[in-house]
Amino acid sequence: MILPVALVDRWPADEYKQQHQTIESALKHSVADLLRLRTEVKMLKQIEQDWGLCPIPEELLTKDIRNFVKRQGGEALSNEFIQYIIQQDAEFDRCLKFSDYPAMIMAAYPESRFISKNRFWEESADILKNPVLIRGISSGKIGKYVREKDQDYYFIETGYLGNYRCPNNRTGRKVYHRIEKNAMQQCRILDVPDDRYRELVKFNPIMQYRGWKKPGSKILVVLPTEKPFQYYGKDRATWIKQVERTLKKHTDREIVWRQKASRGERTNDTIYDALDDDIYALVTYNSIATVEALQYGIPAFGLAPTAADPVCSNDLTQIENPCKPHEDVIYKWLSSIAYGQFTLDELLTGQAWKLVLENDNYPTFNY
């Protein structure tokens, strides 16, 4: 199995460092605890949901949970038990805060290597004997360099769909993360089944594709932060002026500007709320919003590489004639998107990495 070198940005909390001679083993320990906490919290919440069942199903009981229930006397759900769930959930969040995503993906494999991203340039000759695993647009220059040296890299970033609040994700955690080979976006449509997309819809029903919506009257422009502009060597303020000038030249529709807010604000005022406001089409630079708009049945214009490239427009002069592929094509594309993003559980157990390697065996879907 291919095991890339994980270039890590974040290291574990101090209590882990104090228990190990090397930072790498400390990180593997913390990620193992992260998986344990994730499993336990899921079991606790299912017990809470099914508390009326008697006895509690054996498969839901870890040793720690069994002892806790025993101490509580096995009586009706108590405030103490609720607080225990909250406590373990908070501990998971704390552990996640100090966990590096490339490390999480490789932690299930004992022979994997972790190296600080800060050491890459001075040790690249040795590191590039293997593929590398990187995260974030700030690592884009490393990815370019790796390809110039004829080596593979795998890029991790926030998933495209499914990270908003829903009954299965009440806090709006980033549940899904994407992993791409030699690219920062999934730029092709994999000819894959729709099983993972159906699971995504089951997790969050708003992800159900319902075809193209009746056109609205407004154009929604989603403004990214400075980072992508810096990466592509563009000026954000200039880009905004160009977009406004081009739109006003080719349409008389109202333009709505949406700034990128904090993660917390976006989970309350979601992109779907914005898209419901009589929107005709969405325009952005390289935002995930292109994927979200198309999944929601609204045409999109992406003016830098995005995962929506196979099914969206990139020429603003055609704002009144947006790309609208057949709905079967959009569904096929969404099925492909689902094969390129993975849950936290899949990352932590090593399943995500196996699926990434399997994706190499799928042909490309063309239309």
Side-chain angles (χ1 to χ4, degrees):
M1 176 184 285
I2 297 171
L3 291 179
V5 176
L7 299 184
V8 298
D9 273 326
R10 291 186 289 179
W11 299 96
D14 287 341
E15 63 263 32
Y16 291 99
K17 297 176 185 176
Q18 294 165 4
Q19 297 176 51
H20 296 269
Q21 293 183 340
T22 67
I23 197 74
E24 290 81 7
S25 60
L27 189 56
K28 288 190 177 184
H29 183 179
S30 72
V31 173
D33 278 355
L34 191 68
L35 177 58
R36 175 185 59 79
L37 285 164
R38 179 72 171 176
T39 302
E40 183 170 316
V41 167
K42 286 178 67 177
M43 289 181 173
L44 285 167
K45 289 181 177 178
Q46 190 169 344
I47 290 173
E48 177 187 1
Q49 181 178 347
D50 299 336
W51 190 265
L53 299 176
C54 186
I56 295 171
E58 183 69 23
E59 64 269 18
L60 298 184
L61 297 176
T62 64
K63 181 179 179 181
D64 288 343
I65 295 174
R66 187 180 291 108
N67 289 337
F68 183 88
V69 173
K70 184 177 180 180
R71 289 197 302 273
Q72 298 303 311
E75 299 175 355
L77 185 62
S78 64
N79 288 332
E80 288 83 3
F81 191 80
I82 295 173
Q83 289 304 312
Y84 184 69
I85 296 174
I86 294 172
Q87 172 191 320
Q88 295 303 90
D89 210 8
E91 181 61 20
F92 172 83
D93 281 339
R94 192 182 77 86
C95 196
L96 182 63
K97 180 181 178 181
F98 288 98
S99 294
D100 184 86
Y101 282 94
M104 281 193 276
I105 293 168
M106 287 292 107
Y109 303 99
E111 64 273 35
S112 60
R113 291 175 63 199
F114 300 162
I115 293 179
S116 171
K117 191 172 79 172
N118 294 332
R119 291 164 50 192
F120 174 78
W121 297 108
E122 61 187 65
E123 300 179 29
S124 61
D126 176 61
I127 292 172
L128 292 184
K129 293 175 182 177
N130 297 284
V132 298
L133 192 59
I134 57 177
R135 184 180 187 276
I137 196 169
S138 62
S139 300
K141 290 182 179 180
I142 291 178
K144 284 184 177 179
Y145 181 81
V146 171
R147 293 304 296 145
E148 289 170 0
K149 296 299 180 181
D150 200 29
Q151 182 58 275
D152 292 326
Y153 74 91
Y154 294 84
F155 179 82
I156 311 153
E157 192 47 280
T158 302
Y160 296 113
L161 295 170
N163 286 324
Y164 286 110
R165 284 179 178 168
C166 67
N168 290 314
N169 185 18
R170 295 185 183 281
T171 59
R173 276 197 184 111
K174 289 185 179 181
V175 175
Y176 289 93
H177 301 265
R178 70 182 190 262
I179 306 175
E180 304 296 339
K181 181 180 180 181
N182 296 331
M184 291 192 290
Q185 305 282 353
Q186 188 188 98
C187 298
R188 62 192 178 115
I189 303 178
L190 298 175
D191 192 0
V192 294
D194 68 347
D195 55 328
R196 289 185 65 83
Y197 180 58
R198 286 187 283 106
E199 283 298 315
L200 173 61
V201 171
K202 184 178 178 181
F203 177 79
N204 185 348
I206 201 173
M207 296 294 101
Q208 179 68 58
Y209 178 60
R210 303 184 188 281
W212 295 109
K213 290 183 178 294
K214 181 180 178 181
S217 66
K218 305 174 186 176
I219 296 169
L220 177 65
V221 182
V222 175
L223 299 174
T225 61
E226 289 282 358
K227 282 185 179 180
F229 292 102
Q230 292 171 355
Y231 176 77
Y232 288 108
K234 303 290 184 180
D235 179 73
R236 184 175 184 269
T238 300
W239 180 84
I240 292 172
K241 290 178 182 177
Q242 290 173 341
V243 166
E244 184 174 24
R245 184 165 56 247
T246 303
L247 288 175
K248 288 185 175 180
K249 182 178 179 180
H250 294 280
T251 185
D252 58 1
R253 295 178 184 275
E254 178 184 350
I255 303 172
V256 178
W257 302 88
R258 179 180 171 90
Q259 299 283 349
K260 185 171 182 179
S262 68
R263 173 69 186 171
E265 291 174 308
R266 297 201 308 276
T267 57
N268 289 312
D269 177 21
T270 73
I271 187 66
Y272 300 106
D273 295 324
L275 291 171
D276 277 334
D277 186 23
D278 193 31
I279 299 301
Y280 160 77
L282 176 141
V283 176
T284 190
Y285 192 57
N286 73 331
S287 172
I288 289 174
T290 52
V291 177
E292 294 165 328
L294 289 159
Q295 176 268 318
Y296 206 52
I298 294 177
F301 288 75
L303 306 185
T306 78
D309 282 356
V311 288
C312 80
S313 308
N314 57 24
D315 181 0
L316 271 191
T317 67
Q318 298 299 308
I319 188 65
E320 290 297 335
N321 186 33
C323 178
K324 294 178 73 172
H326 192 279
E327 292 174 2
D328 290 347
V329 172
I330 297 293
Y331 190 84
K332 192 70 177 177
W333 166 72
L334 288 169
S335 297
S336 177
I337 289 290
Y339 262 72
Q341 64 174 37
F342 311 94
T343 65
L344 276 173
D345 290 343
E346 290 172 328
L347 297 187
L348 290 166
T349 60
Q351 181 65 16
W353 185 244
K354 292 178 182 178
L355 292 170
V356 168
L357 297 182
E358 289 175 7
N359 281 347
D360 270 348
N361 299 320
Y362 288 107
T364 299
F365 172 80
N366 297 303
Y367 69 97

